[in-house]
Each structure stands twice: as C-alpha cells, then as structure tokens.
Amino acid sequence: MDTSDLYRNITDFAHDTPHWVQSAFEVWTEYGLLVFGLLYISVWWRARGRRDPRAVARAVLAPLATALVYVASELVKSTVDEDRPCRAVARAAASLVPCPPYGDWSFPSNHSAIAGAAAVALALAVPRLALLTLPMAVLMAFSRVFVGVHYPHDVGMGLLLGASLGALAVALLTGPMTRVIAAVQGSGIRAAVWFTGPGPARHP
C-alpha cells in the first residue's frame, strides 16, 4: 500500500499551519499517551469503590490489554521492516520532530495501536468514556502523520490492530479476571483488598 502522496499532503499542510498548532501536535504526539494512563487510574479508582468485581476486572484489564497490543504491534514491526517516511519519501516536507533512527520501523504505528487499544478498553470499562477516548485515539494517530514520522497506512492499521485486539483481549479475559478479583476480595488480605476494593456487601 502506497500512501506517500497523502503523506506529502498532510506534512505540507502541517508546515502551513501556525507555529502554535505545530507545537500543540508535537506535545500531543509525544505525551498524549500519558492521558490514557491517567484515565486508567481514574477508571480503576472508580471501579474499586463500586463493589463490583466485574467493573474492577474491566478496569484492570484496560492497561493489560494495551500492553498485549503493544507486544503484538512490535512483533509485526519487526517482521515488516518498513522504513520511516521521513527518510523514504522523496520531495516531502521535513518532519516536525526528529526522524526515528534506522531500525525503528514504521509499520504499524505503535502509538496508534496503543491509543486504539486504550480507547476501546477504557470504553468497555466505562462506556460513556468512548466520547472522549475514541477521538483521542484518532487524534493521536493523525498526529503521527502530521509531525512526519508515519505513513497514513501505518496509523490506520495501528488503530485497527489496537482496537480489535484490545476488544478481543477484554472479551476473552473479563470472565477469568472477574473470578480472580472476586477471590482476592474474599481473601481478607489487606493490601490486595485495598487494590480491588471490598467487593459486594456481605449480609449476615
């Protein structure tokens, strides 16, 4: 798949935007994934207070599913060995951030895969978060092309890979994780119960 022309169009557009827009995209592409990290913590904290093992399981699975997706993305990267467009595309505008070194391959975009997985996993834990996390994932993917370090097909496949594998991981692991959480909540181990929350109220 050749998306070089679209890559040129987007990077040309990036250079035509005001400096503050370029700076905002540079900050987002570098640090935006940290926002997903804060959401993981927020969703976990909310879930542990609900006395619902399934809610806690979904909250715990969100970062775990994202980590699994990252590993899968890295495996694909090491197989495809696609060079970065900031080196490979002739007559393209210079990237707004330093081009990653040779050997840090382009396909798929890890940032996009992580964002896609995080967006879907968080939305499965708290459905109304989809209105926030899905646009965030798309913006992360677009930013990787905007700053010049990925082709459009890199980020598109990254989003697809992340969202699909993230959803699959949560679907397959929610049941087992719920049983683990319930067992921990009933264990009486203080530190473990603090992490999971007290679980359903027990009536005498």
Side-chain angles (χ1 to χ4, degrees), residues 155-168:
V155 301
M157 186 55 69
L159 280 177
L160 180 61
L161 178 72
S164 57
L165 289 186
L168 180 63

Side-chain angles (χ1 to χ4, degrees), residues 52-61 170-186 196 200:
D52 180 358
R54 185 177 179 85
V56 178
R58 286 278 176 94
V60 171
L61 281 173
V170 171
L172 292 176
L173 297 176
T174 294
M177 183 62 76
T178 299
R179 291 189 289 273
V180 170
I181 296 296
V184 170
Q185 289 174 336
T196 62

Side-chain angles (χ1 to χ4, degrees), residues 145-166:
V145 184
F146 186 94
V147 301
V149 295
H150 276 291
Y151 291 100
H153 65 264
D154 296 338
V155 301
M157 186 55 69
L159 280 177
L160 180 61
L161 178 72
S164 57
L165 289 186

